Amino acid sequence: MGLFIFTIAGDGFILIGAWESLVSSSSCLNTQPSLSLSQLSKAESNPKPEKESKFSTLTYVFVTVFSFLSIVNSLISLFSAINARDGIGSALQLQILAVAFLFLLFAVMGVVSNSSGSVRFPPSLINFILLFGFVEEFLLYYLQRKDTPGVENRYFDLMLVPITIWNEYARLARGIGLVLQGTWFVQMGISFYSDWIVHGCTLHEKNPGNYSIKCGGMHEYHRGKGIATLLFNCHLALLVVLLTAVYSVMYKPLEEEIQQGENGHFTLDSHEEEKREEGNVPSTKGAIVGTTVNGRGSH
């Protein structure tokens, strides 16, 4: 059951991160390469709002579904901890519920803002809720020290890396961070609940929400921590390889887009040309313009 839960959670993060990365890459390829001087000046005078922090409606739907599933799983684990009179397990599940409710609130507000024309929440408020959710998730794993000799604490420490990637980075980097977090969740489930567990260490589970990996001695404990670090580094290397492969596939259409921009026309429209088009003012385009240098005119 534990392996199934970790796999579902990891697949959810991978799905959301892959979709965000795909949308970000597609938006980069759909940019217009050629602009006139008048269009460029208008864009500078009337800048468009930043869309980098805005998520797509499908992403909000994904987050809503997985947040709801996380809440259901936490409630089941909470009732199990209460029946077992496990105070630590109950406290941990309450923290997880708080984090899951924040992400659910973020997703529901995003869906309403994107789909409804009458009710729209400020993007800064939605982003603040998301920030608060990630901060609380960071603290959840950072302060989780229920069993110091347990190897699972090393896995929780390494989880802090992908959690911090999303903040203050581009949309593509946030998607990559979510994919890394998802793959690490899957790896944690395999390392905890399968035969791939570190030799010399065993899983002790009081209830589905309170478990610890205890090792036979200090040698097995340090080896388990080293294996966890090695696995995380392998995840980073795997993402680099995948990004390189994706970039090699997308480089050709991106290069063609750039070449079209170089072969296109870059017009320099003056303000007189804009006034002529708007008010039918006679054009001076093509006329000989006289200049004066040191008091002498040249024609």
Side-chain angles (χ1 to χ4, degrees):
M1 187 63 180
L3 177 59
F4 175 77
I5 293 175
F6 273 98
T7 302
I8 294 298
D11 291 341
F13 278 102
I14 293 172
L15 181 62
I16 296 172
W19 173 253
E20 281 298 301
S21 301
L22 180 62
V23 172
S24 176
S25 302
S26 300
S27 62
C28 292
L29 293 177
N30 291 332
T31 54
Q32 296 182 354
S34 60
L35 288 175
S36 64
L37 183 61
S38 60
Q39 292 173 334
L40 191 61
S41 61
K42 290 179 180 179
E44 293 177 351
S45 59
N46 299 315
K48 295 182 179 180
E50 181 65 32
K51 297 183 179 180
E52 192 64 35
S53 60
K54 184 178 180 181
F55 292 85
S56 61
T57 303
L58 188 58
T59 301
Y60 287 127
V61 173
F62 286 157
V63 176
T64 302
V65 173
F66 289 111
S67 298
F68 177 76
L69 293 177
S70 178
I71 290 173
V72 172
N73 177 69
S74 296
L75 288 174
I76 296 175
S77 300
L78 176 61
F79 292 138
S80 177
I82 293 175
N83 293 331
R85 297 182 179 179
D86 182 10
I88 296 179
S90 301
L92 289 175
Q93 294 307 315
L94 290 176
Q95 296 176 20
I96 295 175
L97 282 172
V99 176
F101 271 115
L102 281 176
F103 284 112
L104 180 62
L105 178 62
F106 153 77
V108 171
M109 292 177 64
V111 171
V112 172
S113 297
N114 284 3
S115 59
S116 177
S118 57
V119 180
R120 298 185 65 87
F121 297 98
S124 58
L125 176 61
I126 299 177
N127 291 333
F128 179 77
I129 295 175
L130 179 64
L131 171 64
F132 200 78
F134 274 107
V135 169
E136 190 167 351
E137 185 186 14
F138 183 92
L139 293 176
L140 173 64
Y141 286 101
Y142 180 77
L143 299 177
Q144 191 166 196
R145 292 293 184 274
K146 58 182 181 295
D147 188 12
T148 304
V151 177
E152 79 282 354
N153 290 326
R154 182 57 179 167
Y155 286 84
F156 296 153
D157 290 339
L158 295 171
M159 178 63 76
L160 303 179
V161 178
I163 291 176
T164 56
I165 291 179
W166 81 274
N167 191 21
E168 300 298 334
Y169 282 87
R171 189 175 187 178
L172 179 61
R174 289 200 302 263
I176 296 172
L178 291 174
V179 172
L180 175 60
Q181 188 170 351
T183 55
W184 191 240
F185 265 122
V186 175
Q187 181 60 58
M188 286 172 61
I190 295 175
S191 300
F192 294 170
Y193 293 95
S194 70
D195 295 335
W196 290 11
I197 195 170
V198 180
H199 294 291
C201 302
T202 56
L203 178 67
H204 295 264
E205 187 176 16
K206 293 183 179 180
N207 59 74
N210 186 9
Y211 51 86
S212 179
I213 300 178
K214 296 183 178 180
C215 301
M218 292 302 297
H219 177 73
E220 290 80 4
Y221 171 70
H222 289 294
R223 183 177 62 183
K225 291 181 62 177
I227 291 176
T229 305
L230 179 62
L231 288 173
F232 188 80
N233 292 335
C234 290
H235 275 87
L236 292 177
L238 177 62
L239 284 181
V240 171
V241 173
L242 290 177
L243 287 175
T244 304
V246 172
Y247 178 77
S248 64
V249 173
M250 299 180 60
Y251 178 75
K252 186 175 181 180
L254 180 61
E255 186 180 19
E256 293 176 355
E257 194 78 16
I258 295 175
Q259 290 178 355
Q260 290 178 2
E262 293 176 352
N263 297 332
H265 298 286
F266 188 89
T267 59
L268 298 177
D269 297 335
S270 61
H271 293 288
E272 288 79 5
E273 186 70 19
E274 295 180 0
K275 293 179 181 179
R276 184 187 66 81
E277 294 177 356
E278 297 176 357
N280 295 326
V281 179
S283 175
T284 59
K285 190 175 182 179
I288 301 176
V289 181
T291 58
T292 302
V293 180
N294 294 331
R296 296 181 181 182
S298 60
H299 299 279

